[in-house]
Amino acid sequence: MLGARCLLRALRSCSSAPCPRHTPSAKLSVRDALGAQNTSGERVKVQGWIRSVRSQKEVLFLHINDGSSLESLQVVADSSFDSKELAFGSSVEVQGQLVKSPSKRQNVELKAEKIEVVGNCDAKAFPFKYKERHPLEYLRQYPHLRCRTNVLGSILRVRSEATAAIHSFFKPSSKVKVPEENFFNVPAFLTVSGQLHLEVMSGAFTQVFTFGPTFRAENSQSRRHLAEFYMVEAEISFVESLQDLMQVMERLFKTATMLVLSNCPEDVELCHRFIAPGQKDRLEHMLKNNFLIISYTEAVEILKQASQNFTFTPEWGVDLHTEHEKFLVKHCGNIPVFVVNYPLALKPFYMRDNEDGPQHTVAAVDLLVPGVGELFGGSLREERYHFLEQRLARSGLTEAYQWYLDLRRFGSVPHGGFGMGFERYLQCILGIDNIKDVIPFPRFTHSCLL
């Protein structure tokens, strides 16, 4: 109480008497203001949106957030600043002195000398209410506004941090990032993968990757599918075993995840606490254990012996469905599991033939993770000209893929690669059930709101 009275006297002395001319206020983000070491009255300017307003008889408290952190900055002002325009959701610019807070709830607070409302917000009409925890399904109705909520703010900050972590993972190894193509002078189609283009680049650079949007015209409105989603794809030359590929995949998952946990723990904790209780322990379990490896044939046998009744009967030569993938992960103790060596007939022409009759397989690998199912998919590529030529001929694709055959004619090397669905990765580490909640603007069949 004594601290509040002292603060009030200081506020009044500035608002009632002419203030001396000051040097321009330093502009700070909320994150930087909260972490400031100098709290001896440095004059700063903070811009953002009001998350809460509390007016007492002589003091006004605001909480301002600009998206840079989960925590908001407390602004303390003389009650003379109070206005109907200072409402939940309004955008403001606040100038004042950054001081140590007498409250144990925050380390610093901003003693306001000037508050300017930049944009009004009708709190009654605004679809999100102060102190109300809205379900993710409700927020999905407002793709243009939902990023202003705490939960979507946290998810999107994690998304940003995970993006940086993935780039950081590839950068030290001198991998070359291949830009996505944007302009065409010939008929073109939206792609589900940049893999074939990466294979071109891997003929000159031993390690390449791309990270960008891909598209799939799949008529599905499930919790796992989008029409537009982001893929991390890598191609590595002089790779001769699936084991080498799997090591890179496991390291990518663990390295990126540890960076995310280190750099935005509060945002991850919010998701684990309010959306997916228990996910923290499940994630730690994944990170501390070596990923397991089973063959497709072993996976089918495990499924056949299961007491669970599946919608789709597991049979050798039939692709695994989501229910099979999730069962296999649980069977393996909720540790991510690589499934390797799939039937040749199930996979595309570019995957390397294992030459292992009578059950003919290719050197393909999928990584299955708890709660999601398939997260990574990859393979060794067929680098042998005559094998690839035969596969293309059987599919009637020789003419269209002559350029792809050329890659095998001129300096071919053993190589392989993989792709990781970025939104599914975010689902996995945060425990988000619906993929539509981990992308800014979800687009799927019959729905393209923005």
Side-chain angles (χ1 to χ4, degrees):
M1 188 66 182
L2 181 60
R5 286 175 179 168
C6 293
L7 177 60
L8 180 61
R9 285 198 297 271
L11 289 167
R12 282 180 171 167
S13 67
C14 186
S15 59
S16 61
C19 290
R21 186 173 293 178
H22 301 299
T23 56
S25 301
K27 182 180 175 181
L28 291 182
S29 69
V30 167
R31 183 186 183 92
D32 288 341
L34 291 169
Q37 300 298 315
N38 180 11
T39 56
S40 57
E42 177 191 4
R43 282 185 164 74
V44 301
K45 176 170 64 178
V46 173
Q47 299 162 324
W49 292 266
I50 297 176
R51 287 294 176 85
S52 71
V53 182
R54 182 162 54 93
S55 181
Q56 296 184 354
K57 185 176 180 180
E58 298 178 319
V59 183
L60 175 69
F61 295 95
L62 304 176
H63 281 92
I64 308 298
N65 194 285
D66 63 357
S68 61
S69 74
L70 175 60
E71 185 181 354
S72 296
L73 176 65
Q74 178 166 282
V75 175
V76 184
D78 186 273
S79 57
S80 61
F81 281 108
D82 201 2
S83 164
K84 290 182 179 180
E85 292 183 334
L86 294 177
F88 173 64
S90 295
S91 57
V92 294
E93 178 179 292
V94 183
Q95 297 186 46
Q97 296 180 55
L98 197 62
V99 299
K100 185 173 178 61
S101 175
S103 172
K104 293 182 180 180
R105 295 183 179 181
Q106 62 273 328
N107 294 324
V108 300
E109 59 191 24
L110 182 56
K111 187 168 64 173
E113 297 171 351
K114 179 182 178 183
I115 300 177
E116 178 186 352
V117 176
V118 179
N120 295 319
C121 178
D122 184 345
K124 291 183 179 179
F126 195 51
F128 311 136
K129 306 304 176 187
Y130 172 56
K131 283 190 175 180
E132 190 169 334
R133 192 179 301 158
H134 302 283
L136 291 171
E137 292 79 9
Y138 175 77
L139 300 183
R140 244 173 263 145
Q141 300 174 60
Y142 304 96
H144 58 304
L145 296 173
R146 66 176 186 166
C147 58
R148 303 188 190 189
T149 62
N150 280 341
V151 64
L152 258 295
S154 285
I155 290 171
L156 294 176
R157 277 188 295 275
V158 169
R159 183 185 176 97
S160 176
E161 194 61 49
T163 299
I166 288 166
H167 280 272
S168 175
F169 174 83
F170 286 114
K171 188 176 180 180
S173 302
S174 299
K175 295 180 176 69
V176 174
K177 184 179 188 297
V178 179
E180 293 77 36
E181 299 176 16
N182 294 312
F183 301 97
F184 306 96
N185 293 321
V186 296
F189 305 91
L190 297 176
T191 181
V192 298
S193 172
Q195 177 213 314
L196 299 186
H197 295 88
L198 283 178
E199 285 197 62
V200 171
M201 304 304 287
S202 71
F205 306 95
T206 57
Q207 300 178 86
V208 292
F209 80 102
T210 188
F211 187 0
T214 54
F215 306 88
R216 183 166 296 171
E218 188 165 2
N219 188 21
S220 172
Q221 295 191 22
S222 78
R223 296 170 180 267
R224 300 175 70 247
H225 294 99
L226 292 166
E228 178 193 20
F229 54 98
Y230 280 67
M231 284 280 285
V232 181
E233 296 178 276
E235 203 72 23
I236 306 170
S237 298
F238 300 98
V239 167
E240 299 190 30
S241 74
L242 281 179
Q243 186 67 41
D244 293 337
L245 270 187
M246 291 186 287
Q247 286 178 0
V248 178
M249 293 158 74
E250 183 170 349
R251 281 198 297 111
L252 171 58
F253 179 91
K254 290 183 174 178
T255 302
T257 304
M258 292 302 292
L259 279 171
V260 168
L261 293 175
S262 174
N263 292 340
C264 46
E266 299 88 356
D267 294 309
V268 174
E269 183 184 2
L270 181 142
C271 295
H272 288 175
R273 182 178 178 186
F274 295 110
I275 299 175
Q279 183 63 19
K280 179 181 178 181
D281 293 336
R282 289 189 288 270
L283 186 58
E284 288 177 352
H285 185 63
M286 287 187 256
L287 293 173
K288 74 180 182 181
N289 284 285
N290 294 326
F291 293 179
L292 305 178
I293 305 171
I294 61 174
S295 70
Y296 167 87
T297 300
E298 290 170 329
V300 171
E301 287 304 311
I302 291 169
L303 294 169
K304 282 183 175 181
Q305 294 173 19
S307 57
Q308 178 176 326
N309 292 321
F310 297 108
T311 303
F312 298 95
T313 302
E315 294 289 343
W316 202 97
V318 177
D319 215 348
L320 301 179
H321 291 265
T322 302
E323 59 178 343
H324 303 144
E325 294 168 352
K326 291 184 175 181
F327 178 87
L328 288 169
V329 174
K330 288 183 179 178
H331 176 83
C332 293
N334 284 313
I335 297 171
V337 55
F338 291 107
V339 180
V340 301
N341 298 330
Y342 282 75
L344 179 143
L346 288 180
K347 295 299 182 179
F349 63 85
Y350 52 76
M351 295 191 175
R352 196 178 200 278
D353 192 335
N354 282 329
E355 300 180 87
D356 58 347
Q359 292 183 320
H360 207 167
T361 67
V362 291
V365 55
D366 287 343
L367 177 62
L368 313 182
V369 297
V372 172
E374 182 189 347
L375 176 60
F376 283 78
S379 75
L380 298 181
R381 315 308 188 192
E382 185 56 83
E383 86 284 4
R384 298 165 296 183
Y385 181 90
H386 295 297
F387 279 82
L388 182 59
E389 184 182 41
Q390 291 171 11
R391 293 283 297 276
L392 288 170
R394 286 197 294 268
S395 304
L397 297 172
T398 302
E399 183 177 353
Y401 285 91
Q402 187 60 52
W403 65 269
Y404 192 66
L405 276 171
D406 280 351
L407 301 179
R408 275 64 180 172
R409 291 176 61 202
F410 306 115
S412 180
V413 300
H415 62 287
F418 60 83
M420 179 186 79
F422 185 52
E423 282 74 28
R424 288 191 183 181
Y425 167 73
L426 295 173
Q427 283 186 277
C428 175
I429 66 171
L430 295 178
I432 306 294
D433 188 46
N434 197 312
I435 197 169
K436 300 174 184 66
D437 297 322
V438 293
I439 191 169
F441 305 107
R443 299 178 181 110
F444 48 97
T445 180
H446 309 305
S447 179
C448 186
L449 296 180
L450 284 178

